[in-house]
Every structure is written in structure tokens, then in C-alpha cells.
């Protein structure tokens, strides 16, 4: 496998982001993956992060600082920086003397400069301040992709300029890519863009991510959010720690007091605030001889100001940053480790990388920030300390550590299992498995597309033959119900987390069918078959002779689970042939276990059918398929296009032994009987959707697509006109369908409340009455129809 990694942050530059990307590249190379890295050439004061350069090829590009192209704005930014620095000094002085008014007055002066500088950033620094890298990165990526020929590109962000360049290069070279979110893009709570820029960024972010094959992230709190927002497969892989970094002897803190509370890294002003701790010290009657705070890192002026505000300067030491290995050794030997987060629910999913180092150090942790976030939850679950913003609780914890150190000389280390499961290698192992799973799918994609023959491309007479219907004396109707779990149709596809409540509502419609002497067909999917109580409902219907049963495949909820969850893979025909067969076998086994016989009637979820999928059905003894949806296209989500496919029942296969029953969907209107009806396919194009051409054609009574379903919003009159029209053309078989989940209010777009449910059931009864009484039709089951059509000459053989 070949992986091209695109990242701004990479060793030897010593940053937290470079540590992750560097270790990721090393792990891949150490496990047989051919890795190449494209990064930026940059100077740094700290280039102490080691990297295995023998196994990893690194390509460095230049960075173009666009600030240098707009000199007036550059000056404004420098002026802003200078004024902000002066304001900070005056504000601090005003706060120190209690004259808040002085600080407010000083802050008001540079307001215009701030506005101009922020406007410049919003207009020109898009998607971020590293946009100048795009000029050099894009051509370098195209060149490296063609030379290296990677199986997949992994772009790590921020900065998200790397996503833009990778998406463009991926599109040009037809190479799949994965977006790694080490932090959020548009939904980053630390970003502060004007509203007009945010709207544009949201749109642009979705456009860029729509080209990705998958997404990875570093927080389990972010995974469902990304799944819902981008409808892409998402994997979560924590940063973790490297055990080999924690084998060195620790730099021991002195025995006895003071208790040293140590913080490593940068502090973001106003966002990571030590105030609760400083208030605890101020109000807790502590002395500098009992407790000391040591802050090692950059941008710590804010901490110093806060210490002055709370009059605890004697308790606080501001120290220079130290090299990575030294910081690890100091953490292992420290008394207590300090972690700071933003006390805001927007930061609940954010996981500082130092959390894993702290846990691996096996030292007690004291933290302030979001009390409902992942960090608080993890510290509590591992009994590693506490996260709270309550000064009294903090003071109590600090007093406990002081007493412990007085008694024992040192604060004992935490148990070894404190860091269980958080080793970076464990996270990277799962990451590699995620890539390899995708590699199989991506490598097979071209072959899969070639072998996936659309129904519309089948040849009449050679591949299939229409079933003769003109000999039928009356119209025949079938009721086919897609019997499935309750899930959010607008959300991501999930393997779990769905409901089955609507199953117990099926009697509401079944009672109507019983009153009309009709036997519907329930095509049941795996989540229902895998639940004994849910399956029992349909077993009782069947045992009483009230229905027929078959199966429906929702691949995302149907084992085995080897494919990525995505819109494209929600269509069974898009899976590789072997996986289609395995999923169908699992579905049939679950059906046989519940009902004691093999299913013969089938529907592909989301109408994801192809000629190869029909062949699999024939091999497993199916006699009827109901997956074709005429006059429809699902190519927008990577699914099949049925424009041009047969819109009446046909026999498929060399022996003409599989009866395909397309859903009854067609066109009404003035142009429905003319060649111009083929123009309706244009309504499914991007331009057609934007112009809402389907609605315009329907409003003008030219062309209207009509479904025989209570979910289509079509009146009984429109449905009746459609049937009359098709009967005049010789069709006698009509399939009426809906989703079982529509009998639970709120599950589908068609039924949102109790009144809509009553209307839904009423439309079913109206259609049944119209078909039986006005059209003199008769309802049959798919198995009965098979026998009705099969014996007649010309129905099964050309």
C-alpha cells in the first residue's frame, strides 16, 4: 500500500501536530506501507523532534506569504500589533491599580485598525492564513501523485489549505483522499469570522469535503457530528502517547513541600484560564512554601496578568519551554500536572494532546475547563485526578496533596492501568486497518464499476424479455412494504442506534388490508430479523395467512461490515461482488432462522440493483425482485440511473426465471404520450434541480411523475389517471408500495405527526377502494403473480 501524507506540521519541527503526523508516518513505514510526505520548508527555533528519515521520503515545498504582496495591509497589521501591545500594557496597569476606566478608554482607540485588519483577513486569508501555500503545494502534489502513484492521500489539517490543495489534486489525478481533522474547520469555536464569511466557509467546507473518500478525527465527540454534517465514513483515532518516551528516568521533584503543580505548553488568553486555581490559592490561605505553579511554554503573559489580578504572583513561576524529552521526564517527576481547557460547551470534544502525556506520566492531574467534556469524563473514569472550576473543590484537592506530601515526602504515582489503551501504536493500528479497509474498496472500485451493469443498459430480448400482460382480463395489484428499522433519513448511515418502534404500528395498516381481503408483502431487513420480538409481529401475520414475506437489504445495517459507511455504499450494487453475496447470505440466514423457510422475494435498499446483483439473486433461488424504480436517478449519491430501464414487469436471466416487478412510477401530462417525455430525465440534472424544472412541468400539466404510493403526495385522481393511461398501453400489473417506518410519526418525511399518520392510512384505504371497485382490479401477492404470468407462452421465453 502507498500513502501520500500532506501536512504543514512535520518533524523535526517540534509541535504537537508534528508529533502526531510524524509518528503516524513512522508507524505506517514500520508496518510495510510505502509512505511519502509533502510538507513545507520552514525555519523553527525548536527542531528537536526526531524522525526516521531512512524509511520516510519527505518532500518540502516553499510557502508564499501573501501578506508581502499587499504592503498597505501588512503595515496595518503591524500597526495593529503595535497598538494592541500598547493597549495590553495600559489595560494591565489600569487593572492593577483598580482603574478599569483607563483600560476601557485605551482599548477604544485602535478599534478602526482592528476592524480594517480583520476585514483584510476575512477577504484575503481564505481558507486560512496559510493560503499562500496553495500556490506551491498544488503543483507539487500533482507531480508527486503522478510519480509516486499512491493508493490514497491523507491530508492533515489544520491548516485547511492542505485540504483545498489535496481536493484539487485528487480531482485532477483521480486519486482518492482522506481528510484528517486534528481540529475543526468552520465549527472551530476559537475562530471569529464575520457572519458573511462564515456562511461562505460553511458552503466551501462542504464542497471540499464532498470530494473526500473518508474522514478521520481525533475526538469521539466529533465523530457523530462529522458523520451527520458530511455524510462520509468517519474514523476516530486518538493522539495517544508513545511508551518509549516514558522509559527515561524522571527528573524528580524535591521531597517535601512545596507541592509543584506543573503546566506544559501554550496558554490561549481568555480561553484557557487559570483563574479558578488562582482564586482557590488566594482564598484558601495557602503559602508559597506549600504550593507552587510552574508554567513552561510560550505566550504566558496572560498567566502572569491573571496571577497579578489575584495577587498570587509569589505562587507562580513563568519558565521557558523545554525540549520534548526533557518535558516528559519533568512530567514523570512532577507532583501534580495542570491541564487547562476552555470552560465552554463548544470545547467539550476538544482533547489537548498533553492529556495523553499526563496520563502516561501516571501523575495526578488537576484540570479546569469544560466540566461536561471528554477530558473531564476521561480523567474521572481513569481516577486520575479532577476537573472542576469550583475554587473550593480545587482548594480541597490541593490541601489534600499538601498533607500527603507532608506525610509521605512524595505524592505516589497513579496505577499503571491509568493509561491503558492509549498508546499511540494502538491508535495507529486501528488507523491503518481503516486505511486498508478503504484500500480494498478503492482498488476494487474501477473493477466494480466495470462489472456493475445498470438495468437501463440491459438489452431487450437478449438479457430480458417483457412479461406479457394483455391476456389478463383485469388489472392486478400488489402491495409491497419496505419493512425496515426507524432511522434518520437525513442523517448519516449507522450500523446501530436505530429504533424499531414502528414495527408494532404495522397492525394499523394490516387491519385495513384484512378488511379488503388483501395479502400485502413485507420485505424485511436485517435489523428487524435480528430482533426476535420485532420478527414475531410478521411471523404472526404470516402464520395467520395474512401476508407474504421476503427480504430487503440495507447494507449499512446488514453484516458483515467490511465497507465504509457512505452514501455510495448505501446501494448494495456498489459493493464488491463477494461482499454482496456475504451480506445476502447473512440476510437469508436471519430470515430462515425466524420463519423456517428461505425467502424468494427481494428488494435492494435504496433501489441499489444491477444486473450482477440480479445474477446473485438467481443463484440463491429468488424468484421475484422489486428493486427497479423507473423514471428515477440516484447518481447524485453514487447510485443507479433508471431512466431508460423497463417500467413494467420482465423476466431476467438465461432461463427467464427471475420475475422483476418495477415499482409503479411513470409520467402523466400532455407530453406523457409523446417522445418529448424523455426530456423529463433533465429534471434530475444539477441544472434541473436548481431551476426546479420538475415542479414547473407538473404545474403546467406537461409532465408529472406519479407514484402508486401514499408517500408520493399524489392524489387518488392522479394515481387513477396514471393507471388508466398504462392500462390503455396494455399494462395490467401495478405495484403499490410504502415504507413501514412511515407508520411511526416522525420517522420519515411523509409522516411527521398524528394527523399526517391518519391521512396516510386514509390514502391507503382510498387507493384500495378505488382499485377494487372503480377499476375492478384484484390484488395478488408476488408469488401468485409469478404463477399467473409464468405458464403463458411468450411470458418467460423470447
Amino acid at each position: 500500500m502507498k500513502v501520500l501524507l500532506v501536512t504543514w506540521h512535520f518533524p523535526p519541527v517540534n509541535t504537537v501536530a508534528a508529533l502526531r503526523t510524524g509518528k503516524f508516518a513512522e508507524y505506517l513505514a514500520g508496518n510495510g506501507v510505502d509512505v511519502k510526505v509533502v510538507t513545507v520548508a520552514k525555519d523553527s527555533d525548536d527542531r528537536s523532534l526526531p524522525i526516521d528519515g531512512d524509511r520516510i521520503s519527505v518532500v518540502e515545498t516553499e510557502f508564499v506569504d501573501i501578506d508581502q504582496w499587499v504592503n498597505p495591509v501588512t503595515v496595518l497589521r503591524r500597526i495593529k500589533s503595535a497598538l494592541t501591545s500598547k493597549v495590553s500594557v495600559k489595560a494591565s496597569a489600569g487593572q492593577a491599580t483598580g482603574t478599569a476606566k483607563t483600560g476601557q478608554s485605551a482599548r477604544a482607540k485602535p478599534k478602526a485598525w482592528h476592524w480594517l485588519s480583520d476585514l483584510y483577513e476575512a477577504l484575503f486569508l481564505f481558507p486560512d492564513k496559510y493560503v499562500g501555500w496553495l500556490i506551491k503545494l498544488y503543483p507539487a502534489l500533482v507531480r508527486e501523485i503522478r510519480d509516486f502513484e499512491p493508493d490514497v492521500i491523507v491530508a492533515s489539517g489544520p491548516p485547511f489549505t492542505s485540504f483545498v490543495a489535496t481536493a484539487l489534486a485528487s480531482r485532477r489525478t483521480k486519486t482518492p483522499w482522506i481528510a484528517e481533522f486534528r481540529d475543526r474547520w468552520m465549527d472551530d469555536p476559537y475562530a471569529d469570522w464575520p457572519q458573511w464569511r462564515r456562511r461562505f466557509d460553511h458552503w466551501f467546507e462542504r464542497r471540499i469535503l464532498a470530494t473526500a473518500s473518508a474522514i478521520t478525527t481525533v475526538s469521539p465527540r466529533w465523530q457523530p457530528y462529522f458523520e451527520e454534517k458530511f455524510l462520509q465514513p468517519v474514523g476516530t483515532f486518538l493522539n495517544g502517547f508513545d511508551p518509549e518516551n516514558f522509559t527515561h528516568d524522571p527528573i524528580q521533584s524535591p521531597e517535601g513541600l512545596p507541592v509543584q503543580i506543573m503546566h506544559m505548553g501554550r496558554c490561549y488568553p481568555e480561553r484557557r484560564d487559570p483563574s479558578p486555581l488562582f482564586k482557590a490559592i488566594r482564598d484558601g490561605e495557602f503559602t508559597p512554601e506549600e504550593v507552587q505553579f510552574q508554567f513552561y511554554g510560550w505566550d504566558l503573559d496572560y498567566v502572569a496578568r491573571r496571577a497579578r489580578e489575584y495577587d498570587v504572583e509569589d505562587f507562580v513561576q513563568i519558565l521557558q519551554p523545554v525540549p520534548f524529552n526533557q518535558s516528559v521526564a519533568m512530567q514523570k517527576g512532577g507532583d501534580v500536572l495542570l491541564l487547562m481547557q476552555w470552560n465552554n460547551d463548544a470545547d467539550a470534544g476538544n482533547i489537548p494532546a498533553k492529556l495523553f502525556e499526563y496520563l502516561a506520566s501516571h501523575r495526578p492531574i488537576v484540570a479546569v475547563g469544560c466540566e461536561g467534556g471528554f477530558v473531564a469524563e476521561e480523567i474521572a473514569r481513569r481516577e486520575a485526578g479532577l476537573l472542576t472550576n469550583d475554587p473550593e473543590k480545587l482548594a480541597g484537592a490541593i490541601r489534600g496533596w499538601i498533607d500527603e506530601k507532608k506525610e509521605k515526602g512524595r505524592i505516589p504515582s497513579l496505577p499503571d492501568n491509568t493509561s491503558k489503551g492509549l498508546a499511540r501504536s494502538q491508535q495507529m493500528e486501528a488507523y491503518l486497518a481503516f486505511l486498508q479497509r478503504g484500500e480494498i474498496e478503492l482498488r476494487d472500485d474501477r473493477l466494480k464499476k466495470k462489472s456493475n451493469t445498470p438495468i437501463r443498459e440491459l438489452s431487450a430480448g437478449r438479457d430480458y424479455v417483457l412479461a406479457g400482460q394483455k391476456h389478463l382480463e383485469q388489472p392486478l395489484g400488489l402491495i409491497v412494504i419496505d419493512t425496515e428499522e426507524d432511522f434518520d433519513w437525513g442523517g448519516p448511515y449507522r450500523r446501530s442506534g436505530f429504533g424499531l418502534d414502528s414495527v408494532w404500528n404495522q397492525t394499523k395498516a394490516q387491519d385495513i388490508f384484512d378488511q379488503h381481503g388483501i395479502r400485502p408483502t413485507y420485505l424485511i431487513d436485517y435489523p428487524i430479523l435480528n430482533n426476535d420480538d420485532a420478527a414475531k409481529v410478521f411471523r404472526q401475520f404470516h402464520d395467520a395467512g395474512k401476508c407474504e414475506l421476503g427480504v430487503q437489504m440495507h447494507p449499512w445495517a446488514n453484516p458483515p461490515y467490511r465497507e465504509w459507511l457512505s452514501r455510495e455504499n448505501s446501494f448494495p450494487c456498489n459493493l464488491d461482488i463477494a461482499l454482496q453475496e456475504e451480506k445476502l447470505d447473512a440476510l437469508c440466514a436471519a430470515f430462515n432462522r425466524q420463519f423456517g423457510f428461505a425467502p424468494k422475494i427481494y428488494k435492494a435498499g435504496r433501489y441499489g440493483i444491477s444486473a450482477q446483483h440480479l445474477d446473485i439473486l438467481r443463484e440463491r433461488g429468488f424468484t421475484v425482485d422489486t428493486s427497479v424504480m423507473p423514471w428515477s436517478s440516484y447518481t447524485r449519491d453514487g447510485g443507479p440511473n433508471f431512466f431508460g430501464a423497463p417500467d413494467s414487469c420482465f423476466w431476467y436471466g438465461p432461463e427467464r426465471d427471475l420475475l422483476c416487478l418495477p415499482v409503479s412510477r411513470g409520467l402523466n401530462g400532455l407530453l406523457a404520450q409523446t417522445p418529448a417525455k424523455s426530456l423529463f430525465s433533465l429534471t434530475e440534472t444539477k441544472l434541473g434541480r436548481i431551476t426546479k424544472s420538475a415542479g414547473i412541468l407538473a404545474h403546467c400539466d406537461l409532465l408529472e411523475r406519479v407514484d402508486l404510493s401514499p408517500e408520493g403526495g399524489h392524489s387518488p385522481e392522479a394515481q387513477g389517471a396514471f393507471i388508466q393511461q398504462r392500462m390503455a398501453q396494455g399494462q395490467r400489473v401495478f405495484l403499490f408500495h410504502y415504507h413501514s417506518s412511515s407508520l411511526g410519526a416522525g420517522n420519515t418525511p411523509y409522516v411527521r405527526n398524528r394527523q399526517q399518520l391518519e391521512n396516510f392510512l386514509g390514502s391507503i384505504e382510498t387507493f384500495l377502494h378505488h382499485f377494487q371497485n372503480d377499476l375492478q382490479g384484484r390484488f395478488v401477492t408476488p408469488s401468485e403473480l409469478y404463477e399467473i404470468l409464468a405458464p403463458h407462452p411468450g411470458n418467460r421465453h423470447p
Side-chain angles (χ1 to χ4, degrees):
M1 183 180 189
K2 290 185 176 181
V3 174
L4 183 67
L5 176 61
V6 184
T7 175
W8 175 277
H9 301 278
F10 199 73
V13 175
N14 185 6
T15 64
V16 170
L19 179 63
R20 176 181 174 87
T21 56
K23 290 296 183 180
F24 178 48
E26 285 186 344
Y27 183 87
L28 293 178
N31 285 272
V33 177
D34 195 357
V35 183
K36 179 174 272 191
V37 179
V38 178
T39 186
V40 68
K42 55 183 178 294
D43 296 327
S44 175
D45 294 335
D46 187 350
R47 298 178 64 87
S48 62
L49 197 59
I51 187 68
D52 187 352
D54 295 334
R55 292 184 296 179
I56 303 171
S57 175
V58 179
V59 176
E60 294 186 339
T61 71
E62 296 179 7
F63 168 61
V64 179
D65 186 357
I66 68 169
D67 282 356
Q68 302 303 315
W69 297 357
V70 192
N71 289 329
V73 177
T74 303
V75 172
L76 284 176
R77 288 165 61 83
R78 290 172 180 168
I79 293 174
K80 170 189 172 181
S81 177
L83 290 175
T84 302
S85 176
K86 293 178 181 179
V87 169
S88 298
V89 172
K90 293 180 180 180
S92 298
Q95 291 166 356
T97 59
T99 56
K101 185 175 180 180
T102 303
Q104 292 171 357
S105 175
R107 287 179 187 274
K109 290 182 180 180
K111 185 174 181 180
W113 298 112
H114 278 282
W115 182 85
L116 287 172
S117 183
D118 290 344
L119 179 63
Y120 158 76
E121 292 181 7
L123 287 173
F124 294 100
L125 302 187
F126 175 81
D128 46 45
K129 65 180 181 180
Y130 303 93
V131 61
W133 191 29
L134 183 65
I135 300 169
K136 298 293 184 178
L137 178 59
Y138 170 67
L141 280 180
V142 173
R143 183 174 58 252
E144 295 303 327
I145 291 170
R146 289 175 174 170
D147 292 344
F148 185 54
E149 296 183 349
D151 295 300
V152 66
I153 311 167
V154 177
S156 185
F160 298 107
T161 291
S162 64
F163 284 12
V164 178
T166 303
L168 294 173
S170 169
R171 181 178 180 180
R172 180 170 176 179
T173 61
K174 309 301 181 186
T175 306
W177 74 285
I178 293 175
E180 178 184 76
F181 280 91
R182 299 189 323 277
D183 212 328
R184 289 159 291 182
W185 182 351
M186 260 323 301
D187 299 287
D188 180 8
Y190 292 80
D192 187 21
W193 295 114
Q195 191 61 35
W196 63 266
R197 166 69 186 262
R198 293 185 66 84
R199 283 197 295 267
F200 181 76
D201 275 3
H202 276 295
W203 170 84
F204 186 71
E205 182 188 35
R206 290 179 187 274
R207 290 295 302 270
I208 293 297
L209 270 297
T211 68
S213 296
I215 293 169
T216 67
T217 183
V218 296
S219 172
R221 292 285 186 96
W222 293 346
Q223 177 166 342
Y225 168 78
F226 284 138
E227 287 175 340
E228 183 172 354
K229 182 173 184 177
F230 300 117
L231 297 178
Q232 296 280 36
V234 180
T236 297
F237 311 102
L238 303 174
N239 280 309
F241 69 94
D242 301 294
E244 62 271 18
N245 291 333
F246 292 84
T247 58
H248 308 296
D249 292 334
I251 300 175
Q252 296 286 355
S253 62
E255 291 191 22
L257 299 177
V259 170
Q260 295 182 354
I261 300 178
M262 184 184 304
H263 180 274
M264 294 286 182
R266 180 175 280 106
C267 176
Y268 297 97
E270 307 297 339
R271 302 296 175 92
R272 297 185 178 178
D273 191 352
S275 294
L277 281 163
F278 291 167
K279 188 174 189 302
I281 294 298
R282 184 193 65 188
D283 299 342
E285 299 182 356
F286 295 98
T287 67
E289 290 72 32
E290 292 178 313
V291 59
Q292 282 286 318
F293 290 89
Q294 298 174 334
F295 289 86
Y296 293 85
W298 310 266
D299 303 331
L300 296 177
D301 291 345
Y302 175 71
V303 174
R305 291 201 303 271
R306 281 288 189 248
R308 288 194 297 271
E309 290 174 16
Y310 286 94
D311 196 24
V312 294
E313 293 172 278
D314 293 342
F315 294 83
V316 177
Q317 301 176 51
I318 305 297
L319 304 165
Q320 291 296 314
V322 296
F324 175 74
N325 287 335
Q326 183 181 348
S327 72
V328 169
M330 292 171 65
Q331 288 167 198
K332 288 176 59 181
D335 289 328
V336 178
L337 303 178
L338 169 60
L339 190 66
M340 292 191 295
Q341 255 196 312
W342 187 20
N343 184 19
N344 189 304
D345 289 341
D347 218 27
N350 186 47
I351 309 174
K354 66 170 64 69
L355 171 67
F356 305 103
E357 295 175 11
Y358 282 9
L359 291 171
S361 299
H362 297 153
R363 303 303 302 161
I365 298 173
V366 60
V368 293
C370 181
E371 296 183 5
F374 178 88
V375 172
E377 181 182 279
E378 198 70 0
I379 291 175
R381 186 173 70 86
R382 295 176 181 271
E383 298 181 352
L386 81 162
L387 185 153
T388 181
N389 301 299
D390 185 338
E392 290 188 10
K393 292 181 180 179
L394 291 169
I398 294 170
R399 179 59 64 189
W401 285 316
I402 291 173
D403 293 342
E404 190 170 27
K405 201 167 187 185
K406 282 181 180 178
E407 179 182 348
K408 300 177 181 178
R410 295 185 185 277
I411 299 173
S413 295
L414 300 175
D416 290 343
N417 63 6
T418 300
S419 57
K420 184 178 180 181
L422 296 179
R424 194 186 305 274
S425 60
Q426 294 169 299
Q427 301 298 319
M428 294 299 103
E429 180 181 8
Y431 204 153
L432 178 56
F434 184 81
L435 292 181
Q436 289 173 332
R437 183 176 67 190
E439 178 199 17
I440 295 172
E441 181 174 316
L442 294 168
R443 282 186 169 181
D444 289 347
D445 185 65
R446 184 172 299 175
L447 178 62
K448 178 180 67 178
K449 294 298 183 185
K450 287 182 178 179
S451 64
N452 185 23
T453 305
I455 300 299
R456 65 185 296 201
E457 294 182 7
L458 295 178
S459 298
R462 186 185 67 185
D463 300 316
Y464 74 92
V465 60
L466 294 177
Q469 303 178 36
K470 291 185 178 180
H471 65 281
L472 299 176
E473 296 180 355
Q474 64 183 142
L476 301 179
L478 301 97
I479 305 295
V480 174
I481 303 164
D482 297 358
T483 311
E484 60 191 26
E485 76 279 14
D486 306 335
F487 65 99
D488 181 4
W489 285 25
Y493 296 99
R494 299 183 183 277
R495 308 223 189 268
S496 59
F498 45 75
L500 298 175
D501 293 341
S502 65
V503 168
W504 285 270
N505 292 338
Q506 299 311 305
T507 55
K508 296 177 180 179
Q510 183 64 48
D511 289 343
I512 296 174
F513 299 136
D514 292 345
Q515 294 168 11
H516 288 262
I518 297 171
R519 296 174 63 212
T521 300
Y522 295 97
L523 302 183
I524 311 174
D525 72 353
Y526 189 87
I528 292 179
L529 294 173
N530 198 41
N531 184 291
D532 291 341
D533 292 335
K536 183 179 178 181
V537 172
F538 303 100
R539 185 164 56 249
Q540 290 174 340
F541 290 165
H542 182 266
D543 291 348
K546 295 181 176 182
C547 69
E548 271 199 350
L549 300 175
V551 291
Q552 177 190 196
M553 182 192 292
H554 280 182
W556 60 89
N558 194 130
Y561 304 123
R562 293 209 314 270
E563 80 282 11
W564 280 343
L565 288 173
S566 66
R567 285 174 290 189
E568 183 175 357
N569 285 340
S570 66
F571 301 94
C573 59
N574 282 341
L575 307 177
D576 66 80
I577 297 297
L579 186 55
Q580 291 182 45
E581 293 176 331
E582 292 176 42
K583 285 183 179 288
L584 184 58
D585 289 342
L587 181 62
C588 293
F591 183 93
N592 205 332
R593 184 173 62 252
Q594 292 291 356
F595 304 113
F597 60 93
K600 298 293 183 181
I601 310 166
Y602 176 81
K603 172 169 279 187
R606 303 201 70 200
Y607 313 102
I609 197 69
S610 67
Q612 285 65 36
H613 203 67
L614 291 177
D615 290 334
I616 296 173
L617 297 179
R618 290 182 58 252
E619 292 170 2
R620 280 153 178 76
F622 282 88
T623 58
V624 179
D625 174 75
T626 65
S627 306
V628 176
M629 177 60 90
W631 296 97
S632 305
S633 176
Y634 300 92
T635 54
R636 187 180 184 183
D637 288 338
N641 183 349
F642 291 110
F643 281 97
D647 58 0
S648 63
C649 50
F650 60 93
W651 295 100
Y652 174 80
E655 302 298 324
R656 309 301 192 218
D657 52 356
L658 180 64
L659 179 62
C660 295
L661 302 178
V663 172
S664 290
R665 167 177 275 197
L667 300 178
N668 280 352
L670 297 175
L671 301 180
Q673 305 300 316
T674 71
K677 68 180 181 181
S678 61
L679 295 176
F680 190 82
S681 62
L682 299 178
T683 65
E684 295 284 354
T685 64
K686 184 175 182 179
L687 179 60
R689 291 192 297 269
I690 292 174
T691 59
K692 301 185 184 300
S693 56
I696 295 173
L697 289 172
H699 183 73
C700 296
D701 293 327
L702 297 176
L703 288 172
E704 179 184 15
R705 187 166 54 192
V706 178
D707 279 296
L708 295 190
S709 171
E711 296 173 337
H714 303 293
S715 66
E717 292 77 16
Q719 292 176 339
F722 168 71
I723 294 174
Q724 294 280 12
Q725 172 190 301
R726 297 309 300 269
M727 287 180 65
Q729 297 170 353
Q731 184 167 326
R732 298 292 185 272
V733 177
F734 300 93
L735 191 153
F736 182 86
H737 72 107
Y738 65 88
H739 298 83
S740 66
S741 50
S742 286
L743 294 189
N747 291 323
T748 71
Y750 314 112
V751 179
R752 289 302 187 189
N753 52 54
R754 182 176 297 180
Q755 182 59 53
Q756 289 182 352
L757 177 57
E758 292 179 3
N759 296 340
F760 187 87
L761 294 170
S763 65
I764 293 176
E765 188 158 21
T766 299
F767 176 82
L768 301 182
H769 179 84
H770 174 69
F771 193 84
Q772 288 180 318
N773 295 280
D774 300 338
L775 300 176
Q776 297 299 302
R778 177 166 65 96
F779 282 96
V780 296
T781 66
S783 297
E784 291 170 343
L785 181 65
Y786 187 95
E787 296 302 323
I788 290 171
L789 296 181
H792 295 274
N795 289 332
R796 294 181 58 183
H797 301 280

